[in-house]
Amino acid sequence: MGLIEQVFSLVFGSGRNVLRDTAEVFRPNAEAQARREHDRYGASLSQFAAEFHAPQRGWFDRLMDALNRVPRPAMALGTLALFVAAMVDPVWFSERMEGLALVPEPLWWLLGAIVSFYFGARHQAKGQEFRRDLANRVAVAAPDMPRRADIMPAEPEPTGPVQADGNAALEEWQRLRRGG
């Protein structure tokens, strides 16, 4: 029994599995690898949720946001409805189009300006809100981020003219710049 015990303790170690430890040098432990991947995936989801978590807003802000989302779908669906109306009742549709043809051109320009300003202002407001939110998040994360100078050295500024080294396009460009 003593010999068998010595062989097993040599192979499996005292309380350790030498075969498993040796195998893990060549192939990672699947269970431990799954746990690491799960933890990494959970951490990335947590970071993503923290980055895109919208602040709590009141009912009025949510209502206004909902109303601001109505015009684009309404115009798209209204245009499709015009096509359906033209096919279902062409006489009714032509009467309405005759009425639109009587609208003076300056009124069309005014409508175009109003629609353009509406969508332009909304685009600008949403863009500014996004940039402000991004700047706030960068300001919060900035102390933890390494500086560029810590990561890679600065590139030296070129001191002389660029060497062409057999580049025909660059040689021709340099010749044209010299005026010859």
Side-chain angles (χ1 to χ4, degrees):
M1 182 91 165
L3 180 63
I4 294 174
E5 184 179 344
Q6 287 179 354
V7 169
F8 274 120
S9 70
L10 175 68
V11 172
F12 297 108
S14 56
R16 295 179 49 216
N17 189 335
V18 175
L19 290 176
R20 185 189 70 211
D21 293 345
T22 305
E24 286 179 359
V25 170
F26 300 105
R27 184 178 185 282
N29 182 327
E31 184 177 347
Q33 181 68 22
R35 167 129 344 256
R36 286 189 297 269
E37 288 178 6
H38 178 269
D39 292 344
R40 184 178 58 214
Y41 183 69
S44 68
L45 283 179
S46 297
Q47 179 184 359
F48 185 75
E51 286 179 11
F52 294 100
H53 177 68
Q56 292 291 3
R57 296 174 11 179
W59 68 269
F60 183 76
D61 289 335
R62 290 194 307 265
L63 175 67
M64 286 298 109
D65 230 12
L67 289 176
N68 277 331
R69 292 180 180 166
V70 171
R72 285 185 294 174
M75 286 193 291
L77 293 174
T79 303
L80 292 175
L82 286 174
F83 282 100
V84 171
M87 290 184 281
V88 171
D89 191 357
V91 175
W92 179 89
F93 181 78
S94 64
E95 289 172 353
R96 300 312 171 274
M97 293 301 110
E98 286 174 7
L100 282 177
L102 297 176
V103 173
E105 187 174 346
L107 199 54
W108 285 112
W109 282 100
L110 180 62
L111 177 65
I114 290 171
V115 170
S116 299
F117 280 122
Y118 170 78
F119 286 118
R122 178 156 170 79
H123 176 73
Q124 182 180 5
K126 288 296 182 180
Q128 287 174 343
E129 180 182 329
F130 174 75
R131 284 190 292 277
R132 184 174 39 254
D133 185 48
L134 185 62
N136 289 337
R137 292 184 191 283
V138 167
V140 168
D144 298 332
M145 298 175 70
R147 295 182 320 205
R148 182 181 184 274
D150 296 339
I151 298 171
M152 52 192 307
E155 297 178 15
E157 293 292 324
T159 55
V162 178
Q163 298 298 322
D165 293 334
N167 186 335
L170 187 55
E171 290 171 357
E172 180 180 349
W173 176 74
Q174 287 177 338
R175 182 180 51 79
L176 290 173
R177 284 193 64 206
R178 282 180 286 201

